[in-house]
Amino acid sequence: LVMVIGIVFGTVYTKANKVRECEVLGVYENTMSVVHPNGHIYTLRIDEEYVGRYHKGEIVDVVFDELYEWDTQYEIKGLKY
């Protein structure tokens, strides 16, 4: 029983904190647009201290919450620094 509960919670945690390599489409002020490997475009807010660090075409690690079945409902938790 403990193993089953551990597997379930481990799977949920992994899907809720999935790190994906995404291409930066652009940065405007403190908002960044990225392309998920599934082809969908997502936007996220970044701290002002990091605005000049990212450029179009660069690959960044983004943490997603992918618990939903539909890939259009994925949520960005933030960048992995």
Side-chain angles (χ1 to χ4, degrees):
L1 181 63
V2 173
M3 281 182 54
V4 171
I5 292 172
I7 290 170
V8 169
F9 281 117
T11 303
V12 168
Y13 178 82
T14 301
K15 287 191 66 89
N17 295 290
K18 190 70 173 178
V19 177
R20 300 282 188 179
E21 289 185 346
C22 300
E23 180 182 351
V24 176
L25 283 180
V27 178
Y28 180 72
E29 293 183 1
N30 62 343
T31 304
M32 180 189 313
S33 297
V34 296
V35 179
H36 189 280
N38 66 13
H40 292 283
I41 298 171
Y42 296 89
T43 58
L44 68 144
R45 296 180 63 89
I46 56 175
D47 295 333
E48 290 190 26
E49 62 188 77
Y50 298 110
V51 170
R53 183 180 292 182
Y54 302 106
H55 305 286
K56 182 177 180 178
E58 186 176 352
I59 302 298
V60 294
D61 290 329
V62 183
V63 181
F64 284 89
D65 179 353
E66 297 184 355
L67 281 174
Y68 300 103
E69 286 186 38
W70 304 104
D71 54 2
T72 56
Q73 295 177 335
Y74 292 167
E75 294 180 14
I76 293 179
K77 289 187 154 187
L79 292 173
K80 183 176 178 186
Y81 297 106

